[in-house]
Every structure is written in C-alpha cells, then in structure tokens.
Amino acid sequence: MALRGEDGLRFDHRRIDDDPPAGRMGFCLTTDLTGNGRPDVLVGAMGGRYPVTLPVVGKRIDLRLLPGTRDVIERLEWNVFWYENPGWERHEVARAPDLSIGGSLGDLTGNGRVDLVAGQNLSNDLYWFEQPADPRDRWTRRLITDEFTKYHDTVVADVDDDGEPEVLALSQRSETVFYYDVPADPTREPWPADHRHVVAENLNVEGVAVRDIDGDGRTEIVAGTNVFHRRGDGSWEREAIATGWDWTRLAVADLDGDGDLEVVAAEGDLPYQGDRRARLGVFDPPDWELTLLHDDLSNPHTVQVLPSSGIDDGGDHDGAPPDLFVAEMGLEEGHEPRQFRFHNRGDGTFEPELLVTGVPTHEAKVVDLDGDDRPDVVGKAYDTRHVDVWYGR
C-alpha cells in the first residue's frame, strides 16, 4: 500500500510483524539500541487476549480456557520486545504481566544506555527495566513502587531542573500525578518513599509532556489538559487549559511560528470509553484559545508532530511550521480506522488529509527510520496483533 499526500510525500506501508508474542500491545517507543544510527522499535504489551493452543486429536484447545492456566500463561509471555533496524528481527527481552500504555525511555543508571519505564494497567506495580550491555539479552525488571494503581503514561525527564532525570507517572485509579528522584542506587526495590513528590491528587487524566511551556526558564508538566507550574518552594500550581476533554493524547510544538508552544490534544479513548465522538484541538497560549480541528474521530490514540521537511526531536522548527499526524486505534465496531495528516497552513489553521484506512494503529511514532531525512511512521495495533511501518518517500 502506497499513499501520496498533496505535497508529493508518499508513505509506503510494510508490516514488520503479523505474529507478535503477546496481545493487547500498549506502548510503542523508538530509540537507537544498537548504536548504528537507526531507531529501533520497542513494544510492551498487557498480554493475553489471543489463543494459546495445543493440538489434540485433530482439534486445537485454547489453553487460556483451561482452569488455572490463564494467569500462568500471561505471566510467562514475553511482553517486552523490540525490533532491530534494519531487518526488523524481533528480540524478546522481558516479562511483566499487564504492562500499560505510555512507557518511556531514559538513562536511569548513568551508564549511557537508555532504560525502560512502564507500569501495570490494572495492578499496582511501576517498573523500570535495565538495558544490558547487549540489548538483545534479557532486560532486568525492577520495582519502583507498588503504592498506586493503573499507570497510564510515564516520562523520564528532568522535571525539577536539578540536572538529574526523574521518573514521572500518571496513576489513573489512584488519581495521582507524581514523580520520583532516581536514588543513588536505582537497583534497590522499591525506590524510597522520601524520593517521591506528589504533583496533584484527585486528578484522573491521560497524556503527559515535560517542557518549558511558558518560556520562563522553568520546566512545566502538562498532564491531560492541565499545565503544572513549579513554585519556588517546590510545590506545583495547576493551570487548566480546558475542561471536559477526556482521556487525551498530547503533543507540544510551536505550530504557528510565534515562538510559543501550543498544546495539541486528542480524546484518544472516545467513544470507546464514552458516549460521544472524539475531538482533536490545538490550544494556543497564553489564554489557551482552542482551534478545533476535528470532532468526529474514533479513538485517536496517536497524535504526533509531523515535520514539514526533515526530522527533529523537539517539535520546534526553523522552517515551515510542522503538520500533525493522527491515527485511530480501531476499537469501534463497524468503523474503519483512519490515519490523517493535518497540513499546517502556517497561521494556526490546518487542512485534514486522509492517508490510510483500515489499519488499526495505536501509539504510533513519527521518526526517520531509514536515514533519508524524511518522516516515517511506526505503530502497532492494540486489540489485534500486528506491527506496521510507513516509510515516507
């Protein structure tokens, strides 16, 4: 499948895996694990939801349906795995039951290798996985905390501007936004409670970013449609961008060339977890004026900045203002999932272009996979089992 945009940019589709080792894949991350200059693709899964079968007298028995076997199987699944670029050889590197959406990468040990942070979907554990010297070997799973429930989105970043990375997480069931200072010995389990800082309570949100939003030289936290500003005493003040936007996926970039960072939000789990269609909008500071780009989306769980030309990693561009890439995850019965490119007119308005239909896509990333300085897209399904790449040409 090849699709050509209005400006001539074409996306060639390739399925790199139609049989991943675990179902309900939650996160999709890209980073160069091998040092060859090409981003590899790291995936984590909740596990389950597809048959593990055993042939018996001409029939196949789903072992998950047998008493006592489901939990055992899900605990034995390799549900952290990555694809080596080029060639897309799969490496299965860790087990952790029920990994949620919103994993993140960062160097927690100071050895120059990125590690993985991810929490459980319906249980209490927030983990980090230590990358070994050879990333193809097993990654060691370690517990950060088990004091919250249902982690949806994490970030490894310098949250408090002390020059050191922290681990930031959103806990939906506990309705808490918090971060941990990385202890001197990050291998201790769990991390000390006195390293934990609570940013907000009674807040159930999705979507997180860590940026200097207002240009004051201090880092802010964007959690859902809220910006948290750090006060001088280390506490956090909440500024609401908007209310009534549910289960958001976020992107942050200067979209209109005015030097300020806008916040893009899509209601990624609607209508799956609600009774209305999902919206996509851009909120423009300082008053967070809304430009509504779409109000009839189905579970748009991917929102990415799509550079107009070339790739960078910060979302800020010296040339033409960036476009947006949005993909639907395909959970609505009878609805063909779509992928859109929203062309930036340069004045804060966008023209939607339908790129792809019929391929469920969840937590996709825009990145230059083949080194040609053109944006590519890598993503995977959530409720079905496939991993896909679209090469920009």
Side-chain angles (χ1 to χ4, degrees), residues 349-364:
T349 63
F350 293 79
E351 178 69 27
E353 176 190 5
L354 181 63
L355 291 176
V356 176
T357 60
V359 183
T361 305
H362 180 254
E363 289 294 283

Side-chain angles (χ1 to χ4, degrees), residues 29-43 80-85 89 91 93 105 112-116 129-137 139:
L29 303 168
T30 61
T31 188
D32 180 7
L33 292 172
T34 66
N36 67 355
R38 299 286 180 88
D40 305 297
V41 177
L42 182 67
V43 176
V80 179
F81 45 96
W82 64 276
Y83 299 90
E84 187 168 349
N85 184 9
E89 179 183 359
H91 304 283
V93 295
L105 297 168
R113 297 191 292 267
V114 295
D115 306 300
L116 168 69
F129 300 80
E130 185 174 6
Q131 182 190 162
D134 184 343
R136 303 168 187 86
D137 293 339
W139 294 36

Side-chain angles (χ1 to χ4, degrees), residues 290-361:
L290 169 65
T291 298
L292 187 65
L293 304 188
H294 210 300
D295 62 359
D296 190 24
L297 295 170
S298 177
N299 308 298
H301 217 279
T302 294
V303 178
Q304 290 278 287
V305 173
L306 181 65
S308 295
S309 60
I311 289 280
D312 71 20
D313 60 3
D316 307 317
H317 305 266
D318 295 328
D323 300 330
L324 297 173
F325 174 82
V326 176
E328 298 176 321
M329 62 191 293
L331 293 185
E332 186 179 0
E333 186 174 353
H335 177 80
E336 285 284 305
R338 300 165 292 179
Q339 295 181 12
F340 293 93
R341 180 182 182 184
F342 286 83
H343 291 270
N344 194 334
R345 298 189 181 104
D347 61 356
T349 63
F350 293 79
E351 178 69 27
E353 176 190 5
L354 181 63
L355 291 176
V356 176
T357 60
V359 183
T361 305

Side-chain angles (χ1 to χ4, degrees), residues 3 8 24 37 53 84 93 98 103 112 124 137 149 179 233 240 258 283 290 302 307 319 321 349 354 364 384 392-393:
L3 297 114
R24 294 183 297 163
T53 60
E84 187 168 349
V93 295
D98 192 38
N124 301 345
D137 293 339
T149 306
Y179 68 91
D233 63 0
D258 65 355
F283 295 91
L290 169 65
T302 294
T349 63
L354 181 63
T384 54
R393 301 302 187 206

Side-chain angles (χ1 to χ4, degrees), residues 28-72:
C28 175
L29 303 168
T30 61
T31 188
D32 180 7
L33 292 172
T34 66
N36 67 355
R38 299 286 180 88
D40 305 297
V41 177
L42 182 67
V43 176
M46 297 175 194
R49 282 216 184 162
Y50 75 95
V52 177
T53 60
L54 181 70
V56 178
V57 194
K59 298 181 180 180
R60 302 192 71 84
I61 297 177
D62 184 356
L63 296 181
R64 292 187 192 276
L65 301 180
L66 298 179
T69 61
R70 181 184 179 88
D71 289 343
V72 172

Side-chain angles (χ1 to χ4, degrees), residues 213-269:
I213 292 292
D214 55 13
D216 66 352
R218 287 189 176 187
T219 297
E220 280 80 43
I221 297 169
V222 185
T225 53
N226 305 277
V227 177
F228 290 91
H229 304 267
R230 194 174 75 258
R231 301 186 182 99
D233 63 0
S235 63
W236 295 84
E237 179 181 0
R238 176 184 174 188
E239 177 188 10
I241 295 175
T243 58
W245 283 67
D246 298 323
W247 318 121
T248 52
R249 312 314 295 151
L250 300 179
V252 177
D254 181 4
L255 297 173
D256 55 13
D258 65 355
D260 295 328
L261 296 178
E262 285 75 48
V263 174
V264 185
E267 295 176 304
D269 288 334

Side-chain angles (χ1 to χ4, degrees), residues 100-102 104 117-121 123 125-126 148-155 167-179 199-200 203-210 221-226 228 247-250:
S100 188
I101 297 159
S104 58
V117 173
Q120 291 185 307
N121 181 48
S123 301
D125 292 350
L126 177 65
F148 303 96
T149 306
K150 187 174 174 55
Y151 304 91
H152 196 305
D153 299 318
T154 64
V155 175
V167 172
L168 172 69
L170 311 183
S171 172
Q172 287 186 299
R173 289 243 173 129
S174 301
E175 298 186 337
T176 306
V177 179
F178 66 95
Y179 68 91
V199 177
L203 188 65
N204 181 348
V205 292
E206 290 183 15
V208 66
V210 177
I221 297 169
V222 185
T225 53
N226 305 277
F228 290 91
W247 318 121
T248 52
R249 312 314 295 151
L250 300 179

